[in-house]
Amino acid sequence: MKNLISMRDVSKEEILKLIDLADKIERKEITVDMTGKLAALLFFEPSTRTHFSFETAVKKLGGNTFSMSGTSSTSVKKGETLADTLMTISMYADIIVMRHIIEGAARFASETVDIPVINAGDGTNQHPTQAMLDLYSVQKTQGTLNNLTVGMVGDLRLGRTVHSLAQALSDFNPKFYFASPRHLQMPGYIKDDLKAKNIEFTELEDIKEVMHELDIMYVTRIQKERFAVLEDYEKVKDSYIISKKLLEGVKSNFKVLHPLPRVNEITKDVDDTEYAYYFQQARNGVFMRQAIITELLNLIPR
Amino acid sequence: MNKEQLKVDPIKNGTVIDHITAGKALQVAEILNIPNSEREIMIGVNLSSRKMGKKDIIKIENRELSKEEAGSIALISPTATLIVIRDYKVINKFGVDIPEEIHQHVICPNTACITNIEAVETRFELAGKTPIEVRCSYCEKKYFIDEVKFRF
C-alpha cells in the first residue's frame, strides 16, 4: 500500500491488516517510531476534527507535523497550481495528508508526488480514513465484520461516510437497512454495487420496526439546508431522531455510531446508555490513522 | 461485395468501417481526425442495412487503424466492424472492443472534478457494457457514455 486515496482501492485483506495493526497500536503490543519524520497536513478545505485527529495520530507516533488550513493565505491564492504546491511540499515532508473540496484531488496528488498521500476527504467523493475507523469501530464492538445487520439512518444521499462504509462492508456479507426521507435515499450507484455483490438491503422510511434486528446503527445528520421547502424538513426531522426510548428492546451487542458532529439526531439521554459508541469511535480514529501512517511509511518494526 | 457497398467505389488499400450506428459516422470521423486528413475518404450516412435497418459507413484509403483507435470507435458505436483491405481484397474483418481504460479522450462532466481544474489527462474505466458506462478514475463518478463529451 503506497497511498490511501479511495476505499475502492483497498482490498478485504488490507482492511483486515489495518484493523489488526490499529488494534496492536491501541493495546501497545507494538511500538512504532516516527521520530524524525514530518507529516504535511494540508487542509485546503478546513476540518477541525479530522485535522486534530491526524495531528494527534502523528504526534503519538513521535512524528512531527506542519499544517495548512484554508487557502486564504497560501500560494494557492497567488495562482500557483495544485501540482506545484504539492511538489514543493513533497520536498519537505515524508507524507502528505490532504483534504480538498475538488473531487479527485487526492488521486491527482498521489500521481504528482513521490511521497505517500492520505486522502482526508475530497469533496463529496471519498473519505477513506473515516471508513477505516468506522470499520475498526464495528470490529471492536462486534468482534467481527462478518454477517452483521447494519442500519443506516439520516441523509444517505449526500453522506459520503455511509457510502464508503456500505461499500467497504459489502465484502463481509452484511444485511442493510437504509432509513431516510425519500429524497435523501442511498444513491443508485451504491445500490447497483450492492446488487452486483448480492448484498441484501431494504429501504425504509422508519427504522423503528427493525431496531430489534440491528447490530449496528450508523446515524448521520439530516441537514436542514438540503431541503428546498422548510415544511418538508419539519415533516421528516423527528422521524430520524434517535432517543433512549427508541433503543428499548435492542440486542445486547447493539451500538450506535455517528461520524460527528451531531446536532440533534441523537438525544443526549442516549449518551449514558451502553449503546452509545460515537465518542469512542472518534478515539478509534486516532489509532486507525496511526495504523495507516505506520503502514504507508513502512514503520512496522520487523 | 453486396449492392449496398457498391453505392460507393471500392477501395484498393485501407480500411472500411462498416455497421456504424446510423448517424454516428461524423463523430467516428472526428475521432479518427478525418476532417484534417488528406487521404481519400468516403462517408455514407443512413444507408439501408439488412442487419441494422440503417447504418453509416466510412471508407479510408491507405490507412489501417490502431487498437486504440478501434477502441475509441467502440465507445461511439459498439456495433462497428473494421474491414482491412489490401489490393481490393478483404484481409481481415473484426468487431471493435470497448477498452477497459480510456485515456485522454473523455471529458469528465463533473465540474468539481480535478481533471476540469488542473492540467491532467483524463482517465476513465469501463464500468458497464450494456449500456456503456464509464467511471472517472479521479472523481469516481459514473456516467453513461451518452452523458460524456469527447476531445480528440
Side-chain angles (χ1 to χ4, degrees):
Chain A
M1 212 173 173
K2 192 178 174 286
N3 305 288
L4 179 60
I5 305 301
S6 165
M7 286 310 288
R8 301 178 62 84
D9 307 332
V10 185
S11 68
K12 186 177 174 177
E13 290 68 34
E14 285 169 322
I15 288 173
L16 294 172
K17 190 181 171 191
L18 285 171
I19 286 177
D20 183 55
L21 188 54
D23 182 57
K24 287 197 169 100
I25 290 171
E26 180 173 0
R27 290 174 197 274
K28 298 191 166 57
E29 279 177 26
I30 57 165
T31 323
V32 182
D33 188 7
M34 200 186 158
T35 309
K37 302 240 186 243
L38 203 47
L41 309 182
L42 308 181
F43 284 73
F44 293 89
E45 182 192 29
S47 161
T48 318
R49 198 173 301 270
T50 308
H51 197 151
F52 283 175
S53 179
F54 269 107
E55 189 147 353
T56 309
V58 171
K59 288 181 172 163
K60 284 180 94 172
L61 291 172
N64 229 319
T65 62
F66 66 89
S67 292
M68 186 188 96
S69 187
T71 53
S72 57
S73 63
T74 64
S75 49
V76 178
K77 216 184 172 189
K78 295 175 192 157
E80 189 182 45
T81 63
L82 182 60
D84 280 7
T85 306
L86 292 165
M87 269 307 282
T88 310
I89 282 161
S90 75
M91 299 292 127
Y92 315 145
D94 298 286
I95 188 166
I96 286 175
V97 174
M98 179 167 125
R99 170 170 291 205
H100 206 298
I101 193 144
I102 303 297
E103 291 157 19
R107 172 89 57 205
F108 172 72
S110 72
E111 291 172 1
T112 303
V113 301
D114 286 331
I115 60 172
V117 175
I118 298 175
N119 184 5
D122 61 329
T124 61
N125 185 31
Q126 286 271 336
H127 188 7
T129 62
Q130 178 72 47
M132 283 306 309
L133 80 87
D134 290 342
L135 289 171
Y136 183 42
S137 300
V138 172
Q139 167 74 38
K140 270 179 76 175
T141 56
Q142 307 298 321
T144 178
L145 294 177
N146 293 308
N147 309 317
L148 297 171
T149 301
V150 179
M152 295 187 174
V153 183
D155 179 355
L156 305 184
R157 187 163 78 94
L158 297 151
R160 68 186 163 193
T161 56
V162 285
H163 303 165
S164 301
L165 185 61
Q167 283 176 323
L169 275 175
S170 66
D171 283 334
F172 298 92
N173 191 39
K175 180 179 175 185
F176 287 122
Y177 287 106
F178 299 140
S180 67
R182 206 161 289 159
H183 71 291
L184 294 176
Q185 281 178 351
M186 200 56 107
Y189 70 92
I190 300 283
K191 290 188 275 188
D192 288 347
D193 286 354
L194 296 178
K195 277 181 208 155
K197 287 185 172 177
N198 287 319
I199 303 299
E200 189 184 335
F201 66 88
T202 309
E203 294 184 285
L204 26 89
E205 287 194 52
D206 195 346
I207 194 76
K208 217 174 283 169
E209 54 203 271
V210 297
M211 285 302 291
H212 61 283
E213 280 187 54
L214 302 180
D215 299 304
I216 290 284
M217 178 161 65
Y218 199 98
V219 185
T220 61
R221 186 160 68 95
I222 294 187
Q223 290 161 290
K224 204 173 175 175
E225 57 271 26
R226 308 262 195 232
F227 287 78
V229 184
L230 192 63
E231 282 167 21
D232 292 346
Y233 171 73
E234 296 294 332
K235 249 183 260 169
V236 294
K237 67 168 193 191
D238 289 340
S239 40
Y240 301 94
I241 288 180
I242 312 303
S243 64
K244 191 173 175 179
K245 192 167 181 304
L246 182 75
L247 305 186
E248 282 168 13
V250 294
K251 289 163 79 172
S252 59
N253 60 316
F254 172 81
K255 290 285 183 261
V256 181
L257 270 61
H258 190 299
L260 304 179
R262 99 178 123 167
V263 180
N264 65 342
E265 58 277 12
I266 302 173
T267 57
K268 200 91 181 74
D269 60 1
V270 176
D271 295 4
D272 300 327
T273 70
E274 60 190 294
Y275 309 117
Y277 196 72
Y278 22 94
F279 292 111
Q280 288 97 317
Q281 188 184 351
R283 185 166 177 268
N284 291 339
V286 174
F287 299 122
M288 179 46 79
R289 289 180 173 118
Q290 283 180 273
I292 291 163
I293 293 164
T294 300
E295 174 68 16
L296 296 184
L297 285 177
N298 214 2
L299 299 172
I300 309 158
R302 311 261 167 215
Chain B
M1 198 165 277
N2 62 33
K3 272 183 185 171
E4 293 156 21
Q5 280 170 320
L6 282 173
K7 281 179 186 167
V8 284
D9 291 336
I11 55 175
K12 187 179 180 196
N13 291 301
T15 304
V16 176
I17 311 165
D18 200 0
H19 303 115
I20 302 170
T21 313
K24 297 279 187 185
L26 294 179
Q27 224 179 326
V28 172
E30 207 179 322
I31 290 183
L32 301 174
N33 202 18
I34 279 175
N36 298 317
S37 168
E38 306 248 307
R39 294 194 173 85
E40 276 187 31
I41 289 152
M42 290 168 275
I43 299 179
V45 176
N46 290 331
L47 307 180
S48 53
S49 156
R50 238 176 310 144
K51 214 161 98 185
M52 304 171 66
K54 277 183 173 180
K55 67 171 182 182
D56 289 2
I57 192 166
I58 298 177
K59 297 185 177 192
I60 313 168
E61 279 282 1
N62 295 320
R63 178 170 168 188
E64 289 180 18
L65 300 179
S66 68
K67 202 169 174 242
E68 202 209 342
E69 287 169 322
S72 302
I73 293 170
L75 291 174
I76 310 231
S77 172
T79 55
T81 21
L82 298 187
I83 305 160
V84 181
I85 312 274
R86 285 184 204 148
D87 202 16
Y88 297 108
K89 285 198 186 85
V90 173
I91 295 296
N92 200 359
K93 193 171 179 175
F94 52 94
V96 290
D97 281 329
I98 303 161
E100 289 297 319
E101 215 174 70
I102 310 137
H103 290 262
Q104 187 185 340
H105 297 312
V106 178
I107 299 169
C108 186
N110 176 8
T111 50
C113 176
I114 187 78
T115 58
N116 290 312
I117 289 151
E118 287 269 324
V120 50
E121 187 178 274
T122 64
R123 192 169 71 241
F124 280 77
E125 60 200 69
L126 190 65
K129 283 196 169 176
T130 40
I132 301 173
E133 283 180 285
V134 291
R135 186 193 308 275
C136 175
S137 301
Y138 289 91
C139 72
E140 305 191 3
K141 300 278 179 292
K142 204 161 81 170
Y143 297 98
F144 291 112
I145 200 73
D146 290 344
E147 294 177 286
V148 303
K149 286 197 172 115
F150 294 89
R151 170 175 47 209
F152 294 101

